[in-house]
Amino acid sequence: MAEPSPKRLRRALRSALIRGAVRLASLLPLGVALALGDLLGRVGWAVAGKTRRLALSHLALALPELPEAERRALARASFLHVARAVAEAVTVRRIDPQLEAYVAIAGDGERLLREARAAGKGLVLVTGHLGNWELFARRFVRVTGPSATIARPSWDPKIDAMVADFRRSGGVTTLWRGHVSTGRALLKAFRQGVPVGFLIDQDTGVEGVFVPFFGRLAWTARGPADLALRFRSPVFVAWTRRRGPRRGDGYLLEVEPVAYDPDPADQEAEVLALTARCTARLEAAIRRTPGEWVWMHERWKRRPAGEEHASSVPKTRELSAG
């Protein structure tokens, strides 16, 4: 039997360390975990130079009107927020008994979701990496019943299994992108009326369309729009935002229905328009709390053909009316 390569050994060791750290951290009280998250966020900001530069460059691209010092403060806040959100997810057992209070639903969002779920046509939940998307998913289950989410596998199957188990404990089934069974499972979920969540705010290797995002075209997953049109499912954009600056202040979950034409004369145009509407709502939410989004992701990595010759980029409002 061949000896494991050094690279494989390093990956195995890294995986074991991550999984061990998560298990240990899950035993901490919530307040201690949040304090540790703050510390790790500050350390990450100080030492992760490449990631810090990515966040700053993306903020300059998306919010050029802000002074440089303000963009730098937002980038640092993003590091701290992500670390704190991870701490909340890791210690979710401490939050689960009080989840309805920790993640409160704004306005009549709960009524809208219950009515849409009762219609039995499935439910398309569009969100992004804003606020705490893991607590967001668990909170939805308390309203709509068991749900599913599409996710990209990581570099390690054991970490993926840990993540899937975590979500399953909250009533969320993870459908891994690229797995042979995912397509069938996704269609089955819609036929059974199960809500399905999609995070569309990252440039990933999926079928998509270019729609405006912060005034610049961004490659965005078209799956939510395709499935909504196929099954005539209601579409909601939803996200969480922190209720206050202190640790443990919890979140407010906001829900917005998104209208579309279920019988369009031009299906491709309706897919583009619906994707743009969803993206525009996410952009508006990010603008409201920019320190709670993942600015370190390369959102505008893929570019449309010929963009280098374009004189302007369509604004969000031009493709998101309706």
Side-chain angles (χ1 to χ4, degrees):
M1 181 180 295
E3 290 292 324
S5 68
K7 183 177 181 181
R8 192 175 304 166
L9 286 172
R10 286 195 298 270
R11 284 193 169 190
L13 178 59
R14 191 193 328 165
S15 172
L17 288 173
I18 291 172
R19 289 180 285 118
V22 167
R23 291 192 184 97
L24 286 174
S26 69
L27 303 175
L28 296 174
L30 177 60
V32 174
L34 289 172
L36 181 60
D38 283 351
L39 174 62
L40 292 176
R42 292 187 181 95
V43 171
W45 171 255
V47 304
K50 180 180 178 181
T51 306
R52 182 177 65 244
R53 288 189 293 272
L54 275 175
L56 289 169
S57 66
H58 296 150
L59 275 159
L61 184 69
L63 300 172
E65 70 278 7
L66 295 183
E68 183 179 350
E70 189 170 344
R71 294 198 301 266
R72 190 173 183 85
L74 287 175
R76 183 176 182 274
S78 177
F79 273 70
L80 295 174
H81 168 75
V82 169
R84 188 182 294 181
V86 170
E88 288 167 324
V90 167
T91 55
V92 74
R93 289 188 304 168
R94 314 289 186 184
I95 298 174
D96 272 342
Q98 54 174 334
L99 184 61
E100 284 87 349
Y102 200 83
V103 184
I105 299 179
D108 60 353
E110 185 164 343
R111 177 185 62 80
L112 292 171
L113 291 170
R114 290 188 185 280
E115 290 176 353
R117 179 69 174 90
K121 294 182 178 180
L123 207 163
V124 174
L125 300 173
V126 175
T127 188
H129 296 82
L130 177 65
N132 193 316
W133 51 96
E134 295 292 351
L135 296 186
F136 163 98
R138 296 174 90 88
R139 184 64 178 90
F140 259 112
V141 168
R142 302 284 178 96
V143 177
T144 65
S147 65
T149 187
I150 307 295
R152 180 175 56 180
S154 75
W155 51 272
D156 183 70
K158 291 182 179 180
I159 290 179
D160 292 342
M162 180 180 68
V163 170
D165 286 344
F166 163 79
R167 290 175 179 157
R168 192 180 301 113
S169 72
V172 181
T173 298
T174 303
L175 305 178
W176 295 110
R177 191 179 301 147
H179 284 205
V180 293
S181 62
T182 293
R184 292 192 301 273
L186 184 59
L187 295 177
K188 181 179 179 181
F190 272 89
R191 292 186 180 112
Q192 293 179 343
V194 174
V196 180
F198 300 85
L199 290 93
I200 68 166
D201 63 333
Q202 293 196 344
D203 186 338
T204 55
V206 297
E207 292 188 12
V209 290
F210 282 105
V211 297
F213 186 62
F214 284 90
R216 184 175 174 84
L217 292 176
W219 184 255
T220 306
R222 60 177 291 157
D226 283 325
L227 288 162
L229 285 163
R230 176 171 178 175
F231 291 97
R232 306 173 76 89
S233 302
V235 177
F236 292 89
V237 173
W239 63 92
T240 57
R241 59 180 175 87
R242 292 193 180 276
R243 288 203 297 259
R246 299 171 303 177
R247 300 192 200 112
D249 276 343
Y251 294 87
L252 188 67
L253 194 159
E254 302 194 69
V255 180
E256 291 185 5
V258 183
Y260 67 94
D261 182 356
D263 298 298
D266 186 335
Q267 177 125 345
E268 192 66 19
E270 188 63 20
V271 166
L272 179 66
L274 178 54
T275 305
R277 290 185 198 115
C278 292
T279 301
R281 283 160 172 77
L282 279 179
E283 179 185 323
I286 294 166
R287 285 182 180 276
R288 185 172 180 181
T289 55
E292 296 181 21
W293 191 61
V294 287
W295 290 101
M296 56 286 293
H297 174 72
E298 293 186 79
R299 182 66 184 95
W300 297 273
K301 177 172 54 178
R302 194 177 327 198
R303 308 310 314 141
E307 186 192 71
E308 61 273 19
H309 303 299
S311 58
S312 63
V313 175
K315 299 300 182 184
T316 300
R317 62 179 179 273
E318 295 173 16
L319 288 180
S320 62

